[in-house]
């Protein structure tokens, strides 16, 4: 059941009574008889409610503040949820959630068992398409519009619906958005009910880059022609049909003379704009005209300001794109206690050290310079840093091109975003054995961002590639070594994955060591009689090593001999280490922060090929076959069964009666 079925409860809404217009809105239908002035006031109240709510939860604030008026106008004009509104990425949908029956739960945003930080089909009927990655809205919206048309053809009682895709200026730069627009022009009459709203705030996560950003800026500064078009439209309706067609053509020619035409019209869209996205007096009548028009597909270009209406956000460099909990009055964010440096910053530090002495090292990212730590590289070596925008496919092949000419490119992309470029990783990098370095941030579970941003699958989709080397550090010192190793690895592609968040607090070496490819290490070795097979071997890949050592302590206290090893490499695996652990132990456990079928598959295949699988109790531990919802990372890993207690339980179950005797 969606949250819209639950009435707002004053006891669960701390601001109830402060916002009279917002208090009247339980679902969007409640605001469709509001006057223009009431809608304007509602927008101000909605903005204040959004700020108040996010101050208690943290989240993506700036983007939401920029679309408040647009959100109100769309729900006031369109018959949602029958008319579909699709938010690209979805991190700007907090005001939308408040208006669509979720106000009483908005302060559970990104909290355990609370609302998602993105749109989610299972959360509300007002979220027709789930999103958290960019540039999908136009494709999904076109599919919906065509589906509605086909259903209407089959069933005369079915009313076609409008489909509105709201996409940012950063997201529309991605190739998928162009693929969708190119298809919309030839997708048939169903596409006529598609309205794309380009939310142009000149800033995505980082300032947008590339020719599209420059193009939109030129459109913004060109002479506006809305009043001219409105006048022409009114006059044309009074003319005979033949003259009306002539007037319409004249309007198109006039707009071409004024603006030089638009790229969007060349793609088959009827372009409207640019218009002020914060002016309700413009937005509402324009949206009504587009709702009732059959000119589609339409692209409405609105200009908004990220962080609008909240002074601390307006003055911040990132417009409060993502914030922790904060003081509403001062805007001061609550900082976590000082702790170890993040894995991201450790990678960036070592990369900078190597780049200083190696001009062949370049850095590539896809619209995430600060998130990947490459902003520091960009500041020091701007000529060797490339932010390609939201274009992961291009980023990978661009890096491959550099590698083919002797450079040493580092392609720093989040694990969950690298999925978007898998064909390029396979065909353009691995098949040609080009030495592209993949710095894969946010590996494993990621806390409040939930399943959409979890790096669950990179081990699976990289370990199966013939030429790929895949590393995973157990701590920040190991990450330093792996970054250094990637810098000098020229024989083919190499990837190293590391988690979000802080390291373990170890002292960092002055410089990283170059690791032997495919060689792991034993961290703790159990004492045993030579030539005997007993106890438990734990082979950990990545940062579960800390939990593995905790589990070893617990098992040792029960009299069970435990050896703990750090695999370091998911591919190629250390076959000598695997054979040693299998021959000397009764139980062999592997642990990885990824979906089943990644690292463990490499191990079990070698055990099977050497017949060692016949004589050892092998137990792989990986993420379960489900998506894990947003929560605290430790809780997520507990749910996944990858913390010390679950490791202990796995070992005890495999040992069976023997474990019980040793415990006794």
């Amino acid at each position: 059941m969606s949250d819209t079925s639950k009435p707002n409860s004053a006891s669960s809404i701390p601001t109830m009574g402060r916002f009279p217009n917002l208090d009247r809105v339980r679902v969007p239908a409640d605001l469709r008889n509001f006057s223009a002035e009431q809608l304007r006031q509602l927008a101000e109240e909605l903005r204040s409610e959004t700020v108040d709510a996010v101050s208690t939860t943290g989240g993506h604030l700036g983007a939401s503040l920029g679309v408040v008026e647009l959100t109100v106008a769309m729900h006031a004009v369109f018959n949602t949820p029958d008319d579909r509104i699709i938010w690209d990425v979805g991190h700007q949908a907090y005001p939308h959630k408040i208006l669509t029956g979720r106000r009483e739960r908005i302060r559970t945003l990104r909290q355990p068992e609370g609302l998602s930080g993105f749109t989610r089909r299972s959360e509300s009927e007002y979220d027709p398409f789930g999103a958290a990655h960019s540039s999908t809205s136009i494709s999904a919206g076109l599919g919906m519009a065509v589906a509605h048309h086909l259903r209407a053809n089959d069933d005369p009682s079915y009313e076609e619906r409008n489909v509105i895709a709201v996409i940012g200026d950063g997201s529309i730069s991605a190739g998928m958005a162009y693929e969708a627009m190119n298809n919309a022009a030839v997708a048939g009459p169903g596409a006529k009910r598609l309205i794309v709203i380009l939310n142009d705030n000149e800033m995505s996560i980082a300032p947008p880059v590339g020719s599209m950003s420059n193009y939109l800026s030129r459109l913004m500064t060109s002479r506006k022609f809305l009043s001219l078009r409105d006048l022409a439209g009114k006059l044309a309706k009074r003319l005979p049909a033949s003259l009306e067609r002539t007037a319409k053509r004249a309007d198109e020619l006039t707009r071409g003379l004024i603006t030089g035409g638009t790229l969007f019209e060349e793609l088959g869209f009827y372009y409207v704009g640019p218009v002020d996205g914060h002016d309700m007096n413009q937005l509402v009548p324009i949206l009504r005209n587009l709702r009732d028009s059959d000119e589609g597909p339409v692209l409405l270009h609105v200009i908004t300001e990220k962080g609008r209406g909240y002074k601390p956000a307006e003055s911040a460099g990132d417009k409060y794109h993502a914030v922790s909990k904060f003081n509403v009055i001062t805007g001061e964010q609550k900082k976590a206690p000082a702790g170890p440096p993040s894995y991201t910053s450790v990678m960036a530090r070592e990369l900078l050290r190597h780049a200083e002495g190696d001009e062949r090292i370049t850095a590539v990212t896809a619209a995430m310079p600060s998130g990947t730590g490459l902003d520091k590289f960009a500041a020091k070596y701007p000529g060797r840093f490339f932010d390609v925008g939201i274009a992961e496919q291009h980023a990978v092949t661009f890096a491959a091109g550099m590698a083919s000419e002797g450079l040493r490119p580092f392609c720093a992309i989040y694990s969950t975003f690298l999925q978007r470029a898998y064909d390029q990783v396979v065909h353009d990098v691995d098949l040609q054995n080009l030495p592209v370095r993949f710095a894969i941030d946010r590996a494993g579970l990621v806390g409040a961002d939930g399943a959409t941003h979890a790096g669950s699958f990179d081990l699976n989709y990289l370990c199966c590639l013939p030429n790929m080397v895949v590393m995973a550090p157990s701590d920040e010192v190991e990450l330093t070594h792996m970054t250094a190793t990637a810098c000098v690895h020229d024989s083919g592609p190499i990837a190293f994955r590391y988690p979000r968040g802080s390291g373990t607090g170890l002292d960092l070496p002055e410089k990283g060591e170059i690791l032997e490819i495919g060689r792991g290490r034993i961290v703790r070795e159990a004492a045993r009689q030579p030539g005997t097979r007993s106890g438990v071997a734990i082979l950990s890949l990545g940062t579960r090593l800390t939990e593995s050592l905790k589990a070893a302590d617990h098992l040792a206290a029960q009299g069970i001999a435990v050896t703990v090893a750090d695999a370091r490499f998911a591919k190629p695996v250390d076959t000598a280490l695997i054979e040693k652990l299998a021959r000397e132990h009764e139980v062999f456990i592997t642990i990885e922060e990824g979906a089943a079928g990644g690292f463990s598959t490499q191990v079990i295949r070698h055990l099977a090929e050497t017949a060692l699988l016949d004589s050892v109790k092998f137990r792989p531990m990986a993420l379960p076959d489900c998506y894990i919802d947003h929560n605290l990372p430790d809780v997520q890993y507990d749910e996944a069964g990858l913390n010390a207690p679950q490791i202990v339980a796995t070992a005890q179950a495999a040992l069976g009666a023997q474990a019980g005797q040793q415990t006794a």
Side-chain angles (χ1 to χ4, degrees):
M1 182 178 293
S2 74
D3 290 309
T4 57
S5 63
K6 301 175 183 177
N8 285 340
S9 168
S11 62
S12 62
I13 303 175
T15 54
M16 183 65 75
R18 284 173 49 191
F19 305 132
N21 288 286
L22 184 58
D23 290 349
R24 293 171 53 192
V25 179
R26 176 177 170 271
V27 291
D30 296 333
L31 56 85
R32 288 175 194 149
N33 60 353
F34 277 28
S35 67
E37 176 56 29
Q38 287 174 317
L39 291 176
R40 188 194 64 76
Q41 183 59 40
L42 173 65
E44 292 301 318
E45 295 175 7
L46 181 58
R47 177 171 283 109
S48 297
E49 175 76 349
T50 302
V51 170
D52 187 89
V54 179
S55 74
T56 68
T57 64
H60 293 92
L61 180 61
S64 289
L65 296 182
V67 297
V68 168
E69 286 82 7
L70 179 60
T71 303
V72 170
M74 286 193 298
H75 281 299
V77 169
F78 292 100
N79 185 33
T80 55
D82 289 343
D83 287 336
R84 314 296 200 214
I85 295 178
I86 307 168
W87 296 95
D88 205 278
V89 182
H91 63 346
Q92 74 282 60
Y94 300 175
H96 161 82
K97 288 176 184 264
I98 292 170
L99 289 182
T100 54
R102 287 169 276 183
R103 184 184 175 192
E104 68 177 86
R105 297 193 65 212
I106 196 64
R107 287 164 183 80
T108 69
L109 195 69
R110 294 162 53 89
Q111 306 304 301
E113 299 184 1
L115 296 179
S116 169
F118 306 95
T119 53
R120 187 184 236 177
R121 281 174 54 85
S122 62
E123 191 176 286
S124 171
E125 62 184 331
Y126 290 90
D127 292 358
F129 199 80
H133 294 190
S134 79
S135 315
T136 62
S137 60
I138 304 177
S139 296
L142 178 60
M144 290 178 183
V146 169
H148 291 318
H149 181 71
L150 293 176
R151 288 183 64 183
N153 280 348
D154 292 339
D155 181 2
S157 66
Y158 183 86
E159 294 184 8
E160 289 198 47
R161 287 90 188 279
N162 292 291
V163 180
I164 306 95
V166 184
I167 186 169
D169 53 311
S171 295
I172 205 170
S173 68
M176 187 173 178
Y178 289 102
E179 293 171 14
M181 287 191 288
N182 183 59
N183 180 228
V186 295
K192 289 189 175 183
R193 304 303 291 268
L194 175 65
I195 300 170
V196 174
I197 298 181
L198 171 57
N199 174 34
D200 186 355
N201 59 29
E202 293 194 294
M203 187 173 190
S204 44
I205 296 174
V209 295
S211 55
M212 172 51 69
S213 175
N214 296 331
Y215 174 71
L216 294 178
S217 295
R218 290 196 303 272
L219 275 181
M220 285 171 56
T221 55
S222 67
R223 177 183 169 190
K224 294 183 180 179
F225 48 80
L226 280 175
S227 59
L228 175 65
R229 176 181 290 184
D230 290 343
L231 176 62
K234 291 176 182 177
L235 291 174
K237 292 183 184 303
R238 302 191 179 191
L239 298 174
S242 59
L243 292 179
E244 182 182 351
R245 287 192 296 271
T246 302
K248 181 178 178 181
R249 178 60 179 158
D251 170 49
E252 294 170 354
L253 291 173
T254 301
R255 290 188 286 117
L257 290 172
I258 293 172
T259 67
T262 75
L263 169 65
F264 306 112
E265 289 177 328
E266 294 299 321
L267 287 170
F269 277 74
Y270 188 78
Y271 175 86
V272 178
V275 301
D276 184 348
H278 300 295
D279 185 350
M280 203 69 74
N281 291 327
Q282 283 195 55
L283 285 174
V284 170
I286 289 172
L287 289 174
R288 282 177 179 154
N289 286 339
L290 297 181
R291 177 194 65 190
D292 300 332
S293 171
D294 60 355
E295 292 286 348
V298 173
L299 187 136
L300 172 62
H301 184 181
V302 302
I303 309 302
T304 63
E305 180 186 0
K306 196 171 184 178
R308 171 85 171 199
Y310 183 54
K311 293 298 181 184
E314 291 177 346
S315 59
D318 66 351
K319 304 295 184 184
Y320 274 35
H321 171 75
V323 296
S324 57
K325 298 177 182 180
F326 62 93
N327 183 298
V328 174
I329 304 300
T330 65
E332 182 180 1
Q333 298 185 48
K334 295 181 180 179
K335 297 181 180 179
S342 68
Y343 283 96
T344 300
S345 65
V346 170
M347 186 282 296
R349 171 182 177 267
E350 183 66 10
L351 181 61
L352 274 174
R353 191 184 72 77
H354 279 267
E356 186 174 2
D358 187 349
E359 294 186 351
R360 292 175 294 172
I361 290 178
T362 60
V364 180
T365 192
M368 299 295 290
S370 59
T372 57
L374 293 186
D375 51 343
K376 299 177 180 64
F377 190 104
K380 193 167 184 179
Y381 304 110
R384 289 191 270 155
F385 169 76
F386 304 92
D387 181 354
V388 303
I390 303 176
E392 290 85 1
Q393 292 173 289
H394 166 62
V396 171
T397 305
F398 176 56
M402 284 195 273
S404 73
E405 295 296 335
L407 295 183
R408 288 173 161 174
F410 275 75
C411 196
I413 299 178
Y414 291 4
S415 171
T416 186
F417 297 154
L418 188 59
Q419 295 165 183
R420 299 160 67 98
Y422 187 58
D423 180 62
Q424 287 67 37
V425 173
V426 176
H427 183 270
D428 300 338
V429 175
D430 192 75
L431 181 64
Q432 303 185 84
N433 201 32
L434 290 170
V436 174
R437 287 88 172 153
F438 293 99
I440 305 175
D441 208 323
R442 272 55 169 186
L445 303 178
V446 293
D449 281 337
T452 60
H453 283 57
S456 304
F457 308 113
D458 55 83
L459 289 171
N460 305 63
Y461 66 68
L462 293 177
C463 286
C464 62
L465 301 180
N467 295 317
M468 187 71 69
V469 172
V470 184
M471 304 181 286
S474 55
D475 53 48
E476 60 267 46
V477 172
E478 287 290 301
L479 177 56
T480 302
H481 298 333
M482 290 178 184
T483 306
T485 302
C487 284
V488 299
H489 184 79
D490 293 322
S491 60
I494 189 167
F496 54 108
R497 68 189 307 262
Y498 45 95
R500 180 180 189 172
S502 300
T504 60
L506 299 176
D507 292 332
L508 294 176
E510 187 174 324
K511 63 178 182 178
E513 301 173 4
I514 308 304
L515 301 177
E516 180 183 352
I517 299 299
R519 187 66 62 216
R521 61 182 181 132
I522 291 180
V523 179
R524 179 184 301 177
E525 188 162 14
R528 63 172 48 80
Q529 294 295 325
T532 63
R533 180 196 296 272
S534 64
V536 176
I538 301 174
L539 180 58
S540 172
L541 178 75
T543 57
R544 290 296 94 190
L545 181 63
T546 301
E547 293 296 311
S548 299
L549 291 169
K550 290 179 184 178
D553 289 338
H554 189 90
L555 291 167
Q558 300 175 10
I560 300 172
V562 181
T563 296
V564 179
D566 178 9
R568 281 180 164 167
F569 290 84
K571 187 176 184 186
V573 292
D574 187 339
T575 55
L577 177 60
I578 290 170
E579 291 173 19
K580 173 181 170 64
L581 296 176
R583 288 194 176 104
E584 295 179 356
H585 299 83
E586 180 182 350
V587 175
F588 188 177
I589 298 172
T590 58
I591 301 173
E592 58 192 301
E593 298 161 316
F599 167 61
S600 62
T601 297
Q602 310 300 309
V603 176
I604 199 169
R605 177 173 179 174
H606 184 72
L607 290 174
E609 289 173 344
T610 56
L612 287 168
L613 190 60
D614 302 339
S615 55
V616 68
K617 297 176 180 178
F618 182 72
R619 300 293 186 269
M621 298 183 70
L623 294 178
D625 190 25
C626 63
Y627 292 104
I628 295 179
D629 215 347
H630 53 276
N631 209 319
L632 299 173
D634 283 347
V635 177
Q636 289 182 317
Y637 278 113
D638 208 47
E639 182 182 342
L642 294 181
N643 282 336
Q646 292 91 3
I647 300 172
V648 170
T650 299
Q652 290 174 332
L655 289 168
Q658 179 185 341
Q661 293 168 4
Q662 290 172 323
T663 302

